[in-house]
Amino acid sequence: MIFGGPVQTWELVARERVRDTLAAYTHAGDRGRIGELAATFTEDGVLEIRGGGTHLGRDAIAEMLSDAVERGSAPGHQGRPGVIRHFVANLRFEEITPHRARTSAYFLAMNAHGPDHWGRYRDTLVPVGDRWLFERRLVGVDGRAPDSVMIP
């Protein structure tokens, strides 16, 4: 028994697919693969950066994140990001049904000089085919290093 009752197989599969989407987002972003990152959202998905705007749809999300990757690019890497690594911790499933998952997690972004920025993700994901994709991601940046390359 987990959380007071038996867990059904669909829920275990859904949880793992949600975790995979969160990892795919960070790995793609850290590698500067903006198209792959945008593909972790539904076609009409929403990426909201608290205090930094709301971006609707994969194209708008890719455009906004391309700007962030450019700011984080190390000199001499021809537009590819330098050392950027996002770490996601304390993933909590606030709600999970066969049709929707709501999660929250903490993140820390590191660069070649150390911590760059940190905060919290609040996500809503939905199943699309065999994957779970972001319907909405709210990014709350709680702090940044004085020399942050990602947060202007």
Side-chain angles (χ1 to χ4, degrees):
M1 281 204 190
I2 299 175
F3 304 114
V7 176
Q8 297 178 13
T9 302
W10 71 261
E11 183 178 348
L12 294 173
V13 171
R15 286 172 179 264
E16 287 309 306
R17 289 184 175 161
V18 165
R19 285 184 182 96
D20 187 62
T21 298
L22 271 68
Y25 175 97
T26 58
H27 282 256
D30 289 348
R31 291 176 173 92
R33 297 177 181 165
I34 301 305
E36 290 177 24
L37 187 149
T40 64
F41 287 83
T42 61
E43 288 289 337
D44 59 349
V46 176
L47 175 61
E48 181 180 353
I49 313 292
R50 190 176 53 209
T54 300
H55 312 277
L56 174 62
R58 288 179 178 166
D59 290 342
I61 291 167
E63 182 179 335
M64 188 280 299
L65 291 173
S66 293
D67 294 342
V69 167
E70 189 173 315
R71 282 193 310 276
S73 296
H77 282 78
Q78 300 174 1
R80 293 180 50 102
V83 176
I84 300 292
R85 300 290 182 260
H86 284 76
F87 297 91
V88 179
N90 298 332
L91 175 63
R92 178 170 170 81
F93 287 83
E94 306 287 343
E95 171 190 24
I96 188 160
T97 73
H99 308 290
R100 180 172 317 282
R102 286 187 314 104
T103 66
S104 62
Y106 301 118
F107 72 86
L108 168 65
M110 303 285 289
N111 64 38
H113 305 289
D116 187 88
H117 62 284
W118 51 91
R120 184 173 180 178
Y121 294 133
R122 291 187 178 167
D123 301 316
T124 302
L125 297 97
V126 296
V128 177
D130 288 342
R131 300 178 66 199
W132 281 69
L133 301 178
F134 294 110
E135 180 178 68
R136 180 175 196 84
R137 169 161 263 199
L138 172 61
V139 180
V141 176
D142 295 333
R144 63 184 280 284
D147 61 347
S148 171
V149 296
M150 299 296 294
I151 307 295

